[in-house]
Amino acid sequence: MPQIQLTPAERREHRANAHHLDPVVMIGGDGLTPAVQKEIDAALNAHGLIKVRVFNDDRAARDQIYQQLAEELSAALIQHIGKLLVLWRPIPEKEKTVDEDRMPGPRDVKVLKFSSRGGQRPEVKQLRVLGNQRLTAGGMVKRAKVKQKSVKKRQQGD
């Protein structure tokens, strides 16, 4: 997989965004193992922009790890400064599963109850309305009714 090519302006923007980040993955004395590479791939999928710390004193070895990560994970090289490597890859779109059997969840509603005597403040009540309930105009919580279909519409649907 080829690495991503960025313009200098895009690289500068990603470098600025990565400034406050802490390293997510540490590469130890064993070097770039498949487990570490898998962890870096998972971090790129989750965050997009990550820092990787390499505990190796050889600059050429760090540079080789940096190039290898960019090639194999199809990531963009943002910055290599000291023992820190900064990589970027766009976050993939998450697939949303459509569950047709799913009902709406509970929601919290504020209701104003006015007193029958004038001159008093209205009482504010916090009510939880479940998915199978509805709120009436008077502020009462009732079970939702199934909408009735006319006889003609029922016959057309069958």
Side-chain angles (χ1 to χ4, degrees), residues 6-47:
L6 295 177
T7 64
E10 291 171 331
R11 185 170 280 112
R12 187 179 328 118
E13 183 180 341
H14 289 306
R15 196 168 44 235
N17 291 337
H19 177 73
H20 72 282
L21 297 179
D22 293 325
V24 178
V25 180
M26 314 277 185
I27 299 176
D30 291 341
L32 189 61
T33 62
V36 171
Q37 194 165 341
K38 183 179 175 185
E39 201 61 36
I40 293 172
D41 189 36
L44 280 170
N45 285 337
H47 304 290

Side-chain angles (χ1 to χ4, degrees), residues 111-127:
V111 177
L112 286 176
K113 291 260 187 171
F114 294 97
S115 69
S116 57
R117 294 178 290 189
Q120 288 188 346
R121 281 188 179 171
E123 182 183 349
V124 178
K125 278 190 157 183
Q126 187 85 5
L127 298 175

Side-chain angles (χ1 to χ4, degrees), residues 23 39 47 64 66 75 89 101 124 137 143 148-149:
E39 201 61 36
H47 304 290
Q64 192 263 335
Y66 190 42
R89 184 171 68 193
D101 299 335
V124 178
R143 292 193 108 182
Q148 297 288 326
K149 280 188 174 179

